Amino acid sequence: AYTSPSCDPYGSLLHKAWSRCAETDARSTTKAIYVLHRLASSPVCCGEKEFAGLANAYRELCGQVSKKTHTHYFDRKAVLRTLAPQKDVSYSAKKWRKFLERYFGFVDGCWRFAGLEPPE
């Protein structure tokens, strides 16, 4: 489990989302990216302080290495590399990889360039 020196709740939330992004199941990865997307797209709903905390935690985590995946947090290549064909479902990992590459790139860009205050 992720533990930060200051018990940062924002870092813990983002760590959990990253753990799900790095799973082999494309459905779990998509859900985790969707959660990150919703958090980034509705800063007014979560409050200015919370949005700023999430944006700062995202930027800080991007420079750190995850103990679980042994890659940098929110590394696009790590998300795509972990996808594997699933025997119990009838989807193409290649098609999901293409979709997730674009979707994760969009959401990651939203967070990396998020201001310290939510847009008006």
Side-chain angles (χ1 to χ4, degrees):
Y2 172 83
T3 55
S4 70
S6 62
C7 294
D8 177 23
Y10 309 116
S12 297
L13 173 70
L14 294 172
H15 167 77
K16 186 68 168 179
W18 170 245
S19 295
R20 296 295 167 252
C21 283
E23 288 187 359
T24 58
D25 183 19
R27 297 168 296 185
S28 296
T29 303
T30 303
K31 289 175 190 175
I33 295 171
Y34 177 73
V35 167
L36 290 171
H37 182 190
R38 292 296 299 162
L39 288 171
S41 64
S42 58
V44 176
C45 293
C46 68
E48 292 182 22
K49 179 183 174 187
E50 289 77 12
F51 182 77
L54 281 168
N56 287 334
Y58 192 93
R59 282 190 218 96
E60 287 176 18
L61 282 176
C62 286
Q64 297 179 16
V65 175
S66 168
K67 292 178 184 176
K68 180 179 179 180
T69 62
H70 305 292
T71 61
H72 281 91
Y73 281 93
F74 307 110
D75 178 21
R76 182 182 57 85
K77 291 179 182 178
V79 171
L80 301 176
R81 185 174 42 242
T82 59
L83 290 179
Q86 302 292 313
K87 296 177 182 176
D88 64 331
V89 294
S90 61
Y91 65 77
S92 166
K94 185 177 181 181
K95 290 180 182 178
W96 274 98
R97 188 173 284 117
K98 191 175 189 178
F99 165 73
L100 287 175
E101 180 176 18
R102 292 180 179 145
Y103 190 36
F104 182 77
F106 169 74
V107 173
D108 184 52
C110 290
W111 277 111
R112 288 185 190 265
F113 300 110
L116 296 178
E117 296 181 16
E120 304 255 342

